[in-house]
Amino acid sequence: MELTFDSRYAIGPNESKNLDTEGLRKNFLIEKLFLRDGIHFTYSHYDRYMAGGAMPVNEKLKLETIEHLLKEDYFLSRRELGIINVGGNGKVEVDGELFELNFKETLYIGKGNKEVYFISNDPSNPSKFYMNSTPAHHSYPTKKVTKEQANKIELGSLETSNHRVINQMLLHTVIETCQLQMGMTELQVGSVWNTMPAHTHDRRMEVYFYFDLPEGQSVSHFMGPVNQTRHIWMQNEQAVISPPWSIHAGAGTSNYTFIWGMAGENMDYDDMDKSPITELR
């Protein structure tokens, strides 16, 4: 098993507006999440957020601590973890208890669980466990959430190319967490815009993970302050860090699905500073 990670320091809007394409990608884009029989994490200093992926093929993968980064005996010593399977059917074992996790199903694991393993049911169609983790002050029970159990919100229209269904999976109306919130937004056929009109939320940061993107298609992700927007071209199964001061929206060359994850002091999903489309620069 291979465990890899990288760390991204937080920068402000004044610094980011001077970055070129390479600089934007280096600071905010997470290009590779899934390694064969490996686990990879990116540690962001925005709210100490971690985004990663586990892809068991021929091995049962253990979620190990990252000693010189977390400085804890085990990964969830002072953290919580959200997992959404974006690959083949599999299992997650949490302190000896097995949870079946199929495509687009979610698992929340609370602070204090010592041993977490990832298993694929079929090596020829391996699971891809996309993970978000945040610091936690309290231990809540481990719980699986299916799409049927999620809060569903339908927004937009085909006429404005943003007809989408938001599946709120790890949200306080569905499950108790300390600060982690996760969900999945599915763009309907013929629609390409997500999170438009755009918004910011200064009391929490966010990470987007794009997937379900057909081969040969891409998403242009928009970020930055309302009056200083930038874009990053993204491919299937890549993630992007969105600071609290940044909008986070995208348009694809096809419809797609993306997973959003948030953390910070604000647990109110609807607390947003909305930006009229005509005021974007």
Side-chain angles (χ1 to χ4, degrees):
M1 182 196 120
E2 183 179 7
L3 172 63
T4 60
F5 75 94
D6 66 314
S7 181
R8 310 284 180 89
Y9 285 99
I11 60 175
N14 289 332
E15 292 79 11
S16 69
K17 71 181 180 181
N18 295 316
L19 296 175
D20 60 9
T21 297
E22 182 181 354
L24 284 173
R25 295 175 72 87
K26 183 178 179 180
N27 279 276
F28 300 107
L29 179 65
I30 305 173
E31 292 193 78
K32 190 71 174 176
L33 284 141
F34 298 111
L35 308 173
R36 185 181 178 89
D37 283 323
I39 296 176
H40 175 78
F41 274 105
T42 293
Y43 183 101
S44 170
H45 286 262
Y46 295 109
D47 289 303
R48 307 289 174 174
Y49 203 96
M50 295 178 72
M55 184 180 172
V57 181
N58 298 310
E59 298 181 36
K60 177 180 178 178
L61 304 182
K62 183 179 182 180
L63 181 62
E64 302 275 10
T65 188
I66 303 171
E67 185 175 347
H68 57 287
L69 180 64
L70 300 181
K71 297 186 177 180
E72 296 288 342
D73 292 336
Y74 55 98
F75 191 94
L76 294 176
S77 173
R78 299 184 66 184
R79 284 186 161 269
E80 58 188 348
L81 180 70
I83 305 165
I84 298 180
N85 186 3
V86 297
N89 296 344
K91 301 179 183 69
V92 180
E93 182 180 326
V94 184
D95 283 351
E97 184 177 0
L98 277 175
F99 294 87
E100 293 279 348
L101 211 62
N102 297 331
F103 184 57
K104 291 186 176 180
E105 291 186 336
T106 304
L107 184 68
Y108 170 80
I109 306 176
K111 167 184 175 292
N113 287 282
K114 293 186 176 180
E115 293 192 340
V116 178
Y117 293 91
F118 303 98
I119 307 156
S120 288
N121 291 352
D122 180 2
S124 66
N125 183 26
S127 304
K128 294 179 179 179
F129 298 106
Y130 175 65
M131 300 178 285
N132 285 183
S133 177
T134 56
H137 61 275
H138 184 80
S139 180
Y140 288 107
T142 299
K143 184 177 179 181
K144 174 180 172 179
V145 180
T146 65
K147 278 181 62 179
E148 291 70 31
Q149 294 170 317
N151 283 341
K152 293 185 182 296
I153 303 173
E154 190 169 357
L155 293 176
S157 68
L158 188 59
E159 288 74 18
T160 51
S161 303
N162 65 350
H163 184 203
R164 60 201 189 272
V165 177
I166 300 173
N167 300 276
Q168 298 176 335
M169 316 288 277
L170 304 186
L171 207 69
H172 63 88
T173 52
V174 179
I175 184 175
E176 286 188 297
T177 68
C178 287
Q179 64 167 323
L180 178 63
Q181 300 179 68
M182 289 182 75
M184 184 167 51
T185 300
E186 297 170 305
L187 275 290
Q188 305 303 292
V189 174
S191 288
V192 297
W193 279 101
N194 76 69
T195 324
M196 187 57 65
H199 64 262
T200 58
H201 28 68
D202 199 51
R203 291 191 292 156
R204 64 185 181 213
M205 60 84 67
E206 193 159 2
V207 173
Y208 274 12
F209 169 77
Y210 291 97
F211 73 111
D212 264 358
L213 192 63
E215 186 175 356
Q217 305 302 312
S218 299
V219 173
S220 185
H221 180 84
F222 294 91
M223 62 164 295
V226 173
N227 63 348
Q228 282 280 345
T229 61
R230 301 288 187 270
H231 72 272
I232 299 175
W233 278 101
M234 299 182 60
Q235 309 308 314
N236 192 44
E237 296 183 350
Q238 292 184 342
V240 62
I241 298 166
S242 177
W245 46 264
S246 175
I247 66 164
H248 32 285
T253 56
S254 170
N255 64 307
Y256 51 88
T257 303
F258 72 97
I259 293 170
W260 43 269
M262 295 184 282
E265 65 174 329
N266 176 15
M267 296 290 284
D268 181 3
Y269 180 86
D270 293 319
D271 186 0
M272 307 171 186
D273 297 316
K274 298 182 180 179
S275 307
I277 294 172
T278 53
E279 293 184 10
L280 294 173
R281 299 289 184 267

